[in-house]
Amino acid sequence: MTDTLTPSTTPSTSAVPVYTVTQERRILTAIPGPRSVELQQRRLATVSGGVSSALPVYIATANGAIIVDVDGNQFIDLGAGIGVTTIGHTETSVVAAAVAQTQDFIHTLFTITPYEEYVRVCELLAKHTPGDFPKKSVLINSGAEAVENGVKIARKYTGRRAVAVLDHAYHGRTVLTMAMNYKAMPYATGYGPLASDVYHAPSSYPYHDGLSGADAAKRTIAYLEKVVGPTDLACLVVEPIQGEGGFMVPAEGYFTALQDWCTANGVVMIADEIQSGMARTGKYYASEHFGWTPDLVLTAKGIAGGMPLAAVTGRAEIMDASQPGGLGGTFGGNPVSCAAAIAVFESIENNDLLAEGARIEKTLRAGLGALKEKYDIIGDIRGRGAMIAIELVQPGTGDSSKEPHAAAVSSIAAYAAQNGVLLLTAGTYGNVLRFLPSLAVTDALLADALSVIDDAIAAL
């Protein structure tokens, strides 16, 4: 049996070891193992109960598409930190870039003494976000902070107050963003009062509403016009593929119709690409799948390979509406995170990672399609690239009632975890399994994971 950890060195920082992990599933103990159980007891004594974990195993190392816990168990990671380690855990060039930057300087604060790394990230965002018009960016720390800043910028540009979002949306846990979420529990329950002037419009959910993109857009627009009023509406914030909501992919033509309406009415349309951006879907940004060019694009999660970084990027005239000093923050655009982000962009280009997203989609759709033929609880398969989901329905109901089967999702995820596969659950009704592997995952690992899911469904 090969060793789990194999030391190597990065090309530019030979003194810094980087550990590669054998890309295989391996369970050595009960899950959680004894060391994880011990750490869980320490956690319960000192970590807020409001911070939950999907699986109480504690991670020692990770590489590629495999995470290894403190008991030596190896899991196929189909969550990638909820879409963060898109190009793989501890990708060599990202580690090298981050380490090299720490040896130069770690922090100065861009708004005090700027540095090239911040500028270069903004150049890359201008190049790769949708649209061939002049674009500018501001760098911040997290996805929720990107949403907050996107709304703030849109309000400043338009001079309007109202914010619209779509049903089934998720945008964060801050005071503003929890008001923008569709689900109250657990994100907003007990934390009120919520931010005002946030409106929830009906979305496109083809599996359930059966509407064309044009008809779904008419329904959304009717709500915006009657309930909000376009002259008060600063922005419409949408996820091209809804994440926590269950990877809903809208009907064709939906987003372009909404963008046309927003443009005609002076409303800033914002793409929340926090989970779907940075090559995850086989395009740099999921908006591209729909022929849609947003006014502003929000980036986070996968941009820096696991380092904290986020951005708002958009039309230069919108981004320049803010007065000097109105945007920024102490740690926004940290140089180490920026160095990592530059390496991520270079890795996507140098390793043709957009093609890897298409490969993963093909493999997952084929494997999940076979399971759908076998088990009638799989009602829908949807998504793009390495962002695929299955919606589970009660057995025997199929496409007739499409009654959610949340219990099956919980059971399958638990079975998978016990057998070395980390799965994420999602969906407004808790009945969606989402697949967010890194682009480093092999077809062999996907096949192995799918075999575990097959066994899990059979065991229901």
Side-chain angles (χ1 to χ4, degrees):
M1 181 178 291
T2 58
D3 291 337
T4 296
L5 302 180
T6 304
S8 62
T9 56
T10 63
S12 59
T13 56
S14 58
V16 180
V18 175
Y19 289 92
T20 58
V21 176
T22 56
Q23 297 297 291
E24 62 181 353
R25 176 171 60 94
R26 182 189 302 168
I27 298 300
L28 304 176
T29 72
I31 304 298
R35 180 67 177 137
S36 282
V37 169
E38 177 188 337
L39 285 168
Q40 179 70 1
Q41 293 306 307
R42 289 170 55 188
R43 170 207 179 120
L44 293 175
T46 58
V47 178
S48 168
V51 181
S52 62
S53 295
L55 181 63
V57 297
Y58 288 76
I59 304 307
T61 190
N63 180 251
I66 297 293
I67 54 177
V68 185
D69 74 9
V70 290
D71 293 291
N73 300 298
Q74 297 193 186
F75 298 81
I76 300 173
D77 184 5
L78 296 183
I82 311 188
V84 170
T85 56
T86 302
I87 67 170
H89 289 285
T90 58
E91 199 272 344
T92 304
S93 66
V94 173
V95 173
V99 170
Q101 182 58 48
T102 64
Q103 295 169 344
D104 291 338
F105 62 96
I106 295 174
H107 178 80
T108 69
L109 180 52
F110 188 79
T111 59
I112 302 298
T113 50
Y115 36 88
E116 182 180 2
E117 290 79 11
Y118 189 117
V119 176
R120 182 58 183 150
V121 171
C122 293
E123 290 173 341
L124 290 165
L125 286 164
K127 177 181 178 181
H128 292 296
T129 49
D132 58 3
F133 41 79
K135 286 174 276 188
K136 294 187 177 183
S137 296
V138 59
L139 303 184
I140 52 272
N141 301 295
S142 70
E145 194 176 349
V147 176
E148 293 256 4
N149 275 272
V151 170
K152 174 180 170 178
I153 291 165
R155 282 173 162 167
K156 179 68 173 178
Y157 176 72
T158 61
R160 302 173 184 175
R161 58 175 178 79
V163 177
V165 293
L166 298 179
D167 286 349
H168 309 289
Y170 174 82
H171 295 291
R173 291 181 174 90
T174 58
V175 171
L176 174 61
T177 57
M178 68 182 181
M180 297 169 67
N181 297 337
Y182 185 70
K183 286 168 61 175
M185 186 67 185
Y187 310 117
T189 301
Y191 297 127
L194 302 181
S196 62
D197 284 329
V198 176
Y199 298 86
H200 295 256
S203 59
S204 174
Y205 194 167
Y207 179 59
H208 283 278
D209 63 34
L211 295 176
S212 67
D215 287 341
K218 287 178 183 177
R219 182 176 63 175
T220 304
I221 290 167
Y223 176 93
L224 297 176
E225 290 182 338
K226 300 299 182 183
V227 178
V228 188
T231 58
D232 282 333
L233 184 59
C235 58
L236 172 61
V237 186
V238 304
E239 301 160 276
I241 300 174
Q242 292 184 316
E244 176 68 16
F247 287 11
M248 272 84 85
V249 178
E252 184 176 354
Y254 179 69
F255 284 137
T256 52
L258 291 183
Q259 183 66 65
D260 288 345
W261 181 86
C262 285
T263 300
N265 288 277
V267 177
V268 177
M269 192 166 175
I270 302 176
D272 179 343
E273 293 262 18
I274 289 161
Q275 191 167 150
S276 58
M278 292 304 298
R280 172 149 295 282
T281 66
K283 304 282 188 182
Y284 261 102
Y285 288 88
S287 306
E288 300 171 64
H289 288 287
F290 309 107
W292 170 38
T293 303
D295 298 311
L296 298 181
V297 175
L298 312 180
T299 307
K301 291 191 181 289
I303 189 174
M307 298 294 290
L309 188 67
V312 181
T313 304
R315 296 181 181 274
E317 65 272 21
I318 299 176
M319 296 300 298
D320 280 343
S322 293
Q323 64 273 19
L327 303 177
T330 300
F331 295 108
N334 172 270
V336 180
S337 294
C338 285
I342 294 165
V344 169
F345 276 106
E346 291 174 349
S347 181
I348 292 169
E349 291 295 308
N350 295 339
N351 299 310
D352 193 20
L353 294 187
L354 296 181
E356 292 303 290
R359 169 188 63 81
I360 291 167
E361 178 177 356
K362 181 179 179 181
T363 301
L364 281 175
R365 282 190 177 274
L368 293 171
L371 293 179
K372 188 175 187 294
E373 291 293 320
K374 188 174 180 181
Y375 302 108
D376 66 354
I377 65 169
I378 299 179
D380 192 28
I381 303 170
R382 55 180 179 257
R384 296 285 189 275
M387 191 173 183
I388 302 296
I390 55 175
E391 181 167 343
L392 302 190
V393 295
Q394 292 291 337
T397 63
D399 286 341
S400 57
S401 71
K402 302 175 183 176
E403 184 180 348
H405 197 351
V409 164
S410 298
S411 295
I412 293 166
Y415 182 100
Q418 292 296 316
N419 288 276
V421 177
L422 177 59
L423 277 173
L424 299 177
T425 63
T428 297
Y429 308 106
N431 66 321
V432 174
L433 286 169
R434 52 178 163 170
F435 298 81
L436 276 171
S438 77
L439 300 178
V441 73
T442 64
D443 286 346
L445 283 176
L446 290 174
D448 188 20
L450 288 168
S451 73
V452 171
I453 294 168
D454 189 351
D455 292 342
I457 299 175
L460 290 174

